[in-house]
């Protein structure tokens, strides 16, 4: 029995998939783009994909892509769990009429699971068929006319479903908060962020017009599409969701600590930034940040060569030295950082979504 820690796609799909005709998957989260990759690489496989955490919601973009795939390919079916206890298992079963090969482990059926994160998949010789029977009974195919009655679909800017859907599940397990509290906080944060976007769109001149950024031009030839994606980081949550805002995050200097960005349930830093190594961030004002993840569960982003508080204070034009509030950022158009990941350890960042 084999166990794999690296090169999961090559070792499992590359070496095994061509020997089998069917593939059944149970995965907490999945991405339509990864399913499309598998379909393109192994078009002979009849695939049944069961998503187990969909009661937490599915992004509209990925939902439409899943529906498109099963419409285009008769051998592909994607199911969302609509009832019962959420299923966080990761199971892959390759099979023919006479044999099968089963893997279980930590990797979601996504790019992050098979390429970007440290994951493990190990072969086992037996799996109760009841696991799939129960999942079938708790699920509905994603293009069912009644699917909207069971699943909440939401707008997201990111192009990786496991990135988005992991926000509730991973937050609950890593920071040990109640799922309902995380969901409520996320909902409040989304509402507040929408308000912030509305206000920011009315501000003229603070962020500035689009201009040429010399440092960004250097990155064009260094794009690695295995990592390439865009995402947002909220600089400070509203005080309703962040009662310690005055001495936390970029305001940690008040207590003699280094200013940092703090992750929110909407996006866990370990999913989009490398852990245990430094990385570079090229800003829209031609600064180069050397940064790394710190704190519990890599939940803080620290800039090593700049004081993050001073940098943001200068960007918003704050003269006095005092804690920066959510309202300060919103009124000046700096509530959100928009990141694009270029490759494994290089990023560009702007406060203007249109850059």
């Amino acid at each position: 029995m084999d166990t794999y820690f690296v090169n999961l796609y090559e070792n499992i799909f590359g070496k095994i998939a061509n020997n089998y005709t069917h593939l059944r998957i149970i995965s907490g989260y999945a991405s339509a783009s990864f399913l499309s990759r598998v379909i393109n690489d192994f078009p002979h496989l009849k695939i049944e994909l069961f998503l187990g955490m969909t009661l937490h919601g599915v992004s509209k973009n990925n939902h439409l892509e899943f529906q498109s795939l099963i419409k285009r390919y008769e051998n592909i079916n994607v199911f969302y769990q609509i009832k019962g206890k959420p299923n966080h298992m990761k199971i892959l079963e390759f099979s023919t009429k006479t044999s099968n090969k089963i893997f279980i482990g930590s990797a979601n059926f996504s790019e992050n699971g098979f390429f970007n994160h440290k994951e493990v998949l190990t072969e086992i010789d037996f799996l109760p068929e009841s696991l799939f029977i129960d999942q079938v009974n708790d699920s509905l195919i994603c293009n069912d006319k009644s699917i909207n009655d069971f699943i909440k679909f939401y707008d997201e800017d990111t192009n990786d479903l496991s990135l988005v859907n992991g926000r509730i599940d991973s937050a609950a397990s890593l920071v040990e908060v109640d799922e309902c509290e995380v969901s409520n906080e996320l909902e409040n944060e989304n509402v507040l962020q929408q308000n912030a976007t509305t206000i920011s769109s009315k501000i003229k001149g603070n962020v500035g017009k689009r201009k040429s950024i010399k440092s960004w031009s250097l990155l064009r030839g260094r794009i690695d599409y295995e990592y390439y994606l865009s995402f947002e980081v909220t600089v400070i949550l509203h005080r309703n969701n962040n009662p310690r805002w005055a001495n936390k995050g970029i305001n940690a200097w008040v207590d003699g600590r280094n200013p940092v960005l703090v992750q929110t349930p909407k996006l866990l830093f370990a999913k989009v930034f490398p852990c245990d190594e430094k990385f570079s961030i090229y800003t829209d004002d031609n600064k180069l940040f050397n940064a790394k993840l710190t704190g519990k569960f890599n939940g803080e982003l620290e800039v090593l060569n700049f004081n993050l508080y001073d940098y943001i204070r200068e960007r918003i034009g704050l003269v006095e030295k005092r804690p920066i509030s959510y309202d300060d950022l919103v009124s000046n158009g700096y509530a959100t950082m928009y990141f694009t990941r270029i490759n494994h350890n290089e990023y560009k960042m702007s406060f203007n979504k249109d850059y």
Side-chain angles (χ1 to χ4, degrees):
M1 298 295 174
D2 295 317
T3 299
Y4 298 106
F5 299 93
V6 296
N7 301 325
L8 297 186
Y9 192 79
E10 176 185 347
N11 284 318
I12 293 178
F13 282 94
K15 296 180 180 179
I16 294 170
N18 283 323
N19 300 324
Y20 295 89
T21 57
H22 292 69
L23 171 61
R24 290 193 297 181
I25 309 110
I26 295 177
S27 182
Y29 306 103
S31 68
S33 57
F34 183 74
L35 175 59
S36 181
R37 177 198 290 260
V38 174
I39 293 170
N40 290 332
D41 290 347
F42 308 98
H44 71 284
L45 281 177
K46 181 177 180 180
I47 298 175
E48 291 181 301
L49 171 60
F50 296 89
L51 277 67
M53 301 296 289
T54 46
L55 287 171
H56 288 313
V58 177
S59 89
K60 291 179 181 178
N61 288 342
N62 279 273
H63 175 56
L64 293 175
E65 288 182 39
F66 281 134
Q67 289 185 318
S68 175
L69 288 172
I70 67 174
K71 183 178 181 180
R72 286 159 51 199
Y73 301 99
E74 294 182 354
N75 58 325
I76 307 299
N77 285 305
V78 178
F79 300 87
Y80 298 161
Q81 183 169 328
I82 62 169
K83 63 180 181 178
K85 188 177 294 185
N87 191 340
H88 198 255
M89 297 180 187
K90 288 87 174 176
I91 302 171
L92 291 90
E93 182 199 49
F94 296 89
S95 65
T96 65
K97 292 182 178 180
T98 59
S99 65
N100 68 351
K101 190 177 285 286
I102 305 166
F103 293 89
I104 63 172
S106 65
N108 281 311
F109 195 74
S110 67
E111 290 87 350
N112 278 343
F114 277 80
F115 293 105
N116 300 343
H117 293 168
K118 291 182 179 180
E119 307 282 2
V120 60
L121 287 171
T122 188
E123 184 182 355
I124 60 174
D125 57 9
F126 174 75
L127 186 76
E129 180 64 19
S130 61
L131 290 178
F132 279 101
I133 293 175
D134 290 344
Q135 196 61 36
V136 170
N137 291 333
D138 289 342
S139 301
L140 195 63
I141 194 164
C142 71
N143 65 348
D144 190 279
K145 293 181 179 179
S146 65
I147 198 68
N148 286 7
D149 297 335
F150 301 96
I151 304 298
K152 180 179 180 181
F153 299 102
Y154 55 84
D155 294 307
E156 286 290 346
D157 290 327
T158 181
N159 59 2
D160 186 342
L161 182 63
S162 64
L163 252 175
V164 177
N165 281 348
R167 73 202 188 280
I168 294 175
D169 170 67
S170 298
S173 61
L174 288 178
V175 299
E176 299 180 347
V177 296
D178 182 82
E179 274 192 354
C180 293
E181 292 178 356
V182 175
S183 299
N184 290 337
E185 180 176 352
L186 179 59
E187 183 176 351
N188 290 338
E189 180 189 341
N190 285 339
V191 171
L192 291 167
Q193 192 59 47
Q194 289 172 6
N195 293 339
T197 302
T198 301
I199 295 172
S200 297
S201 66
K202 298 178 181 178
I203 298 171
K204 298 180 180 180
N206 285 325
V207 178
K209 297 181 179 180
R210 187 181 179 95
K211 60 185 179 181
S212 174
I213 301 172
K214 295 179 181 179
S215 60
W216 286 9
S217 64
L218 301 175
L219 300 174
R220 292 174 184 168
R222 301 210 288 266
I223 294 176
D224 184 341
Y225 286 99
E226 183 176 319
Y227 295 97
Y228 191 82
L229 60 91
S230 298
F231 57 93
E232 302 174 10
V233 173
T234 303
V235 179
I236 298 177
L237 289 176
H238 190 275
R239 67 185 68 225
N240 292 347
N241 294 322
N242 187 22
R244 294 182 52 229
W245 67 271
N247 62 348
K248 182 181 178 182
I250 63 171
N251 295 318
W253 61 271
V254 173
D255 289 340
R257 293 174 286 116
N258 291 331
V260 294
L261 292 176
V262 178
Q263 68 183 9
T264 72
K266 186 176 182 179
L267 179 65
L268 302 185
F269 285 166
K271 287 187 174 291
V272 291
F273 295 108
C275 301
D276 302 320
E277 59 180 293
K278 298 176 183 178
F279 48 92
S280 300
I281 301 171
Y282 296 83
T283 72
D284 60 4
D285 60 344
N286 282 308
K287 300 287 193 305
L288 172 57
F289 288 169
N290 298 320
K292 68 176 182 179
L293 295 186
T294 59
K296 188 176 182 181
F297 303 117
N298 293 305
E300 298 176 349
L301 187 155
E302 181 178 350
V303 177
L304 304 176
N305 59 329
F306 282 85
N307 182 296
L308 191 57
Y309 167 83
D310 289 340
Y311 172 76
I312 295 176
R313 176 186 167 199
E314 181 179 349
R315 291 294 299 261
I316 67 175
L318 180 64
V319 177
E320 59 181 313
K321 186 170 184 179
R322 60 164 175 79
I324 296 172
S325 70
Y326 174 84
D327 292 335
D328 290 329
L329 297 174
V330 170
S331 63
N332 288 280
Y334 288 90
T336 303
M337 289 181 169
Y338 299 95
F339 285 86
T340 299
R341 188 171 191 174
I342 303 302
N343 50 52
H344 176 66
N345 60 1
E346 291 185 304
Y347 299 76
K348 63 179 185 179
M349 184 280 294
S350 176
F351 287 97
N352 188 340
K353 190 174 184 177
D354 295 329
Y355 265 95

